[in-house]
Amino acid sequence: DDHPVKTKQCTGTVCGEKVDVLCSRYANRVFIVATQYDKIGMLLEVAPDAPFEDETQTFSTRFVMGHSEDLMTDVFAREVAKRVMADSGQPTPVLLGLSLRQYSPEMVRGTLEMVSGARVW
């Protein structure tokens, strides 16, 4: 495939519920959607606070569209960015679309595993 945007998608079951994941690698960022509603949902931007160094890296999150009072959405966003940057070795910003029914620790862990399985970075 010679398309400049590399994309992978997968569907799985997490906590007994269907979850769809789409990961796309652009020249300047990674775009990830995790949804149970076939919609992008809230959109978050996650970027490293400093050049990527190790597991102690900190990240800033910003809601581009929508918002959530659930702290697990922020945990999820930071964990996704941490995995992307650890795997790529680059300080790659992440644009993350989230539309999940719940953000329990089990849902977050399972969905993170799906994201890792659809890696394009």
Side-chain angles (χ1 to χ4, degrees):
D1 186 345
D2 61 349
H3 193 276
V5 178
K6 185 175 179 183
T7 299
K8 286 187 183 176
Q9 62 186 60
C10 63
T11 299
T13 302
V14 180
C15 298
E17 299 203 41
K18 178 183 165 238
V19 177
D20 296 306
V21 168
L22 171 87
C23 299
S24 296
R25 172 75 173 133
Y26 293 83
N28 64 341
R29 72 187 63 241
V30 172
F31 177 52
I32 298 170
V33 176
T35 182
Q36 292 179 301
Y37 295 100
D38 296 326
K39 296 176 181 4
I40 291 175
M42 63 185 121
L43 200 56
L44 296 96
E45 181 179 55
V46 190
D49 291 328
F52 182 73
E53 294 177 15
D54 57 29
E55 305 83 46
T56 62
Q57 179 71 48
T58 59
F59 301 92
S60 295
T61 60
R62 179 178 74 88
F63 283 93
V64 178
M65 293 190 309
H67 76 284
S68 174
E69 300 298 323
D70 191 335
L71 293 177
M72 288 303 288
T73 59
D74 192 63
V75 169
F76 184 88
R78 290 172 193 271
E79 282 300 312
V80 166
K82 184 176 175 181
R83 287 182 185 213
V84 168
M85 292 180 211
D87 290 347
S88 70
Q90 302 291 321
T92 308
V94 174
L95 192 58
L96 179 64
L98 287 177
S99 187
L100 301 174
R101 289 185 181 90
Q102 53 142 327
Y103 294 90
S104 68
E106 297 80 17
M107 178 62 77
V108 168
R109 273 193 296 277
T111 306
L112 279 170
E113 289 305 314
M114 289 182 64
V115 168
S116 291
R119 181 176 31 225
V120 293
W121 46 90

